[in-house]
């Protein structure tokens, strides 16, 4: 009988049995008559044990001389070992090599340290290393959880076009291309304007796709191509939008913590920092996230349950009953500015924030480092925000908008607002921003035919992955990053 074909992630179901794994040789250590190959198969890595006496001469010699990243199938018996990172080791019985990497052209990514440029130049191969693979698995879950949050709360996915005739987020960051004879087209910076149209058709909608910005900035946070998920809701005002963003982030972090503890460990993430976002203290975390009942914890012990959208239904329609609950701190722009003034006076930050200016990276870093949960900053000066943002009726110099800053200095992960719903005001805003009125005629129509208050936000997936995985730079958060100076591979 042929041994079962298994994956490394599923080995707990095969303990004590002989299985065949299909994958690659990740590493090899030899110690006299003992070989310790490490295999990977995309789902994880496992160490094999190969005593010379236990296998045929041919198997031993094949493995001993095998080059890294050669593809193979390996058959062996699964043995539990609490010291092994995966919890198991493989007593190797047989190996078949599919393609042997030639000695003259060894796999370029070795376990020694490489420079970032070298790694990015070999990104197609760097992806195979355990940490990068773990990041991509977490990314996939963040994308799934994000879409699932809206799919299970009555939102309809309506994806906007990628080729557009006009700008959404300011004209300086547009990728322009010829569109047949005399026309120009631009790669979309955000689907927002289009999903405002679908929201007025369907009520609660979202879009999820790649967006593009010809950002000349070379920072840890900027890509020229990134994925954005954007909800847009008719009859939703700013307070309800803040609730929506909070529930959304909570769902994503909960899902990642439920499914990716092992991956987060490989990545080197401090998991307690993520638990703090959910209000979980380390002593209660395992109980909540595994849903196991620990007999040692008394039922009186205060346990903050991991909140899900089921516990906090999304406000459906007009503004939600938001004021009563606020687990993520909410600061107005003015309060955030006052916080920076105070920090400057105490010598905690070097540069003084100028009233009326946007927050720079160091400002955002300082503000977000004051909290262990994402901070929601609302009501920025209209003058520094997008043309489509609704002015605050209590102070029209302020916009009904929000930026969500991730903790630990990760900066903005979400930007959103209530939208201008008056035809006349929107028209004058378009003109004041020197935008071509003709290209926005359809957008103005939305204010002509049954205009209602409506709001939405966008979250950049890569910024969220960088924060949740605790990465220094967004280039590791996407399979093939596009930045100012890289478009290869
Ligand atoms: O704040 P932004 O520019 O907002 C919008 O585009 C709105 N139209 C969204 C909406 O209301 N529907 O961008 C939203 C988010 C940012 O918070 C950030 O997470 C991400 O998109 N983002 C980038 N991510 C990576 N690289 C860049 N160059 C990014 N620019 C924005
Ligand atoms: Mg923004």
């Amino acid at each position: 009988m042929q041994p079962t074909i298994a994956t490394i992630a599923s080995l707990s179901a095969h303990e004590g049995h002989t299985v065949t794994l299909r994958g690659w040789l990740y590493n090899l250590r030899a110690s006299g008559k003992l070989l310790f190959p490490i295999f990977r198969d995309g789902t994880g890595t496992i160490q094999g044990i190969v005593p010379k006496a236990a296998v045929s001469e041919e198997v031993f010699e094949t493995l001993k001389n095998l080059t890294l990243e050669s593809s193979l199938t390996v058959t062996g018996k699964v043995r539990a070992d609490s010291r092994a990172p995966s919890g198991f080791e493989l007593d190797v019985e047989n190996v078949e090599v599919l393609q042997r990497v030639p000695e003259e052209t060894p796999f370029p990514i070795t376990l020694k340290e490489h420079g970032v440029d070298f790694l990015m130049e070999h990104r197609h191969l760097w992806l195979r290393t355990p940490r990068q693979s773990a990041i991509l698995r977490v990314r996939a879950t963040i994308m799934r959880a994000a879409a699932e949050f809206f799919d299970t709360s009555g939102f309809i996915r309506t994806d906007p076009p990628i080729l557009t005739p006009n700008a959404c987020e300011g004209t300086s960051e547009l990728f322009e291309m010829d569109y047949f004879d005399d026309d120009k087209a631009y790669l979309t910076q955000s689907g927002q304007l289009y999903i405002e149209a679908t929201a007025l058709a369907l009520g609660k909608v979202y879009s999820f796709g790649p967006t593009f910005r010809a950002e000349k900035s070379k920072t840890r946070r900027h890509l020229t191509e990134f994925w954005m998920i954007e909800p847009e809701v008719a009859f939703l005002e700013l307070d309800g939008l803040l609730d929506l963003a909070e529930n959304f982030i909570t769902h994503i972090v909960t899902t990642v913590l439920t499914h990716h503890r092992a991956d987060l460990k490989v990545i080197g993430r401090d998991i307690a920092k993520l638990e703090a976002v959910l209000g979980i203290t380390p002593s209660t975390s395992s109980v909540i996230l595994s849903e196991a009942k620990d007999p040692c914890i008394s039922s009186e012990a205060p346990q903050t349950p991991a909140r899900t959208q089921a516990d906090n239904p999304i406000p459906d329609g007009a503004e939600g009953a938001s004021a009563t609950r606020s687990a993520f701190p909410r600061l107005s722009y003015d309060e955030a500015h006052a916080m920076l003034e105070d920090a400057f006076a105490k010598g905690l930050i070097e540069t003084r924030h100028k009233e009326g200016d946007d927050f720079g990276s160091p400002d955002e870093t300082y503000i977000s480092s004051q909290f262990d949960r994402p901070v929601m900053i609302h009501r920025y000066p209209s003058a520094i925000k997008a043309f489509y943002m609704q002015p605050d009726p209590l102070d029209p110099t302020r916009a009904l908008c929000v930026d969500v800053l991730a903790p630990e200095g990760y900066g903005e992960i979400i930007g959103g607002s209530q939208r201008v719903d008056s035809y006349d005001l929107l028209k004058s805003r378009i003109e004041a921003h020197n935008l071509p009125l003709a290209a926005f005629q359809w957008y103005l129509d939305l204010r002509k035919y049954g205009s209602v208050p409506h709001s939405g936000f966008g979250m950049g997936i890569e910024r969220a992955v960088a924060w949740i995985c605790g990465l220094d730079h967004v280039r590791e958060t996407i399979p093939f990053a596009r930045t100012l100076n890289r478009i290869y591979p």
Side-chain angles (χ1 to χ4, degrees), residues 169 213 358 385 389 402-403 412 414-416 463:
E169 292 299 321
R213 297 198 187 175
D358 205 351
K385 286 291 185 182
M389 293 182 177
V402 60
D403 275 9
E412 178 196 335
I414 281 182
R463 299 260 183 101

Side-chain angles (χ1 to χ4, degrees), residues 210-444:
T211 49
F212 305 85
R213 297 198 187 175
E215 304 262 19
K216 293 264 162 56
S217 27
K218 247 175 89 178
T219 76
R220 301 180 295 125
R221 298 173 183 175
H222 288 92
L223 294 166
T224 54
E225 175 178 330
F226 61 97
W227 282 66
M228 184 149 44
I229 186 160
E230 299 178 83
E232 189 72 30
V233 184
F235 300 103
L236 188 68
E237 298 181 15
L238 185 66
D239 283 347
L241 187 71
L242 266 55
D243 291 346
L244 184 67
E246 180 173 330
N247 290 331
F248 173 68
I249 293 172
T250 300
H251 177 69
I252 292 172
V253 174
T254 304
T255 308
V256 170
L257 279 175
T258 305
H259 298 291
H260 289 282
R261 290 185 165 252
D263 281 329
L264 292 170
K265 220 167 139 192
V266 169
I267 296 165
R269 183 62 165 125
D270 179 352
I271 290 173
K273 293 252 164 56
L274 292 178
E275 290 176 335
V277 171
L278 305 179
I280 300 172
T281 57
S283 61
T284 58
S285 65
S286 57
V287 178
I288 290 156
L289 291 163
S290 67
E291 290 172 20
K293 294 272 176 293
D294 184 336
C296 302
I297 296 180
S298 90
S299 55
E300 281 87 27
Q303 292 184 12
T304 314
R307 293 180 298 104
T308 65
Q309 81 226 49
D311 306 321
N312 288 302
I314 294 157
D316 193 343
E319 275 179 88
S322 56
T324 53
R325 176 193 51 77
S326 170
F328 290 2
R330 299 175 182 196
L331 300 180
S332 67
Y333 170 91
D334 294 327
E335 287 166 334
H337 170 73
M339 185 181 228
L340 292 170
E341 279 290 273
D342 188 51
F344 182 74
K346 290 181 177 145
L348 299 172
I349 48 174
E350 282 175 22
T351 322
R352 186 167 187 181
H353 176 252
K354 195 160 148 265
E355 155 76 38
D357 279 3
D358 205 351
F359 299 122
S361 258
D363 302 322
E364 288 188 352
T365 301
Y366 177 79
I367 295 166
S368 68
S369 67
Q370 303 306 300
F371 305 96
D372 58 3
R373 300 176 198 212
V375 196
M376 309 177 118
I377 304 186
H378 53 86
R379 294 178 170 81
Y380 285 68
S382 293
I384 54 166
K385 286 291 185 182
F387 73 95
Y388 52 69
M389 293 182 177
Q390 176 81 3
D392 184 351
L394 298 178
D395 177 359
T397 68
R398 297 291 184 255
L400 293 176
C401 65
V402 60
D403 275 9
V404 181
L405 311 185
E408 301 168 69
Y410 278 91
E412 178 196 335
I413 52 169
I414 281 182
S417 73
Q418 188 170 327
R419 321 304 189 188
V420 170
D421 53 44
S422 139
Y423 182 95
D424 291 338
L425 178 59
L426 186 61
K427 183 159 174 274
S428 65
R429 282 289 181 81
I430 291 171
E431 286 163 348
H433 280 77
N434 289 320
L435 294 167
L437 208 51
F440 285 94
Q441 207 52 60
W442 69 270
Y443 186 60
L444 278 163

